[in-house]
Amino acid sequence: MVKYPEVEVEISGIDGNAFSIMGATTKALRRAGVPKEEQDQYFQEATSGDYDNVISTTMKWVSIS
């Protein structure tokens, strides 16, 4: 289940490094009006592991394409 399914992040068109993905996701969350605390929670969860964790965390939070 995706936490914010209405927020879509296109990761196929951006640099594949973890920080680019997290930056694009945080930006999309901010534009969707997601509270700062939630954005910080996403970032904290995404940075708590390796690259695969970044991808899986992002997929739990937003719709990706």
Side-chain angles (χ1 to χ4, degrees):
M1 184 169 191
V2 178
K3 191 166 188 170
Y4 292 103
E6 71 280 2
V7 178
E8 187 171 320
V9 177
E10 184 177 339
I11 64 171
S12 62
I14 61 172
D15 183 358
N17 79 49
F19 287 103
S20 294
I21 293 168
M22 291 184 299
T25 303
T26 302
K27 184 177 182 179
L29 290 169
R30 182 174 52 249
R31 285 185 174 172
V34 173
K36 176 80 166 108
E37 296 79 24
E38 289 279 301
Q39 296 171 42
D40 292 344
Q41 183 181 350
Y42 159 76
F43 195 84
Q44 194 170 39
E45 187 178 329
T47 58
S48 68
D50 60 7
Y51 181 81
D52 289 335
N53 181 64
V54 172
I55 300 300
S56 64
T57 299
T58 301
M59 291 173 69
K60 289 178 193 174
W61 279 74
V62 298
S63 298
I64 62 168
S65 58

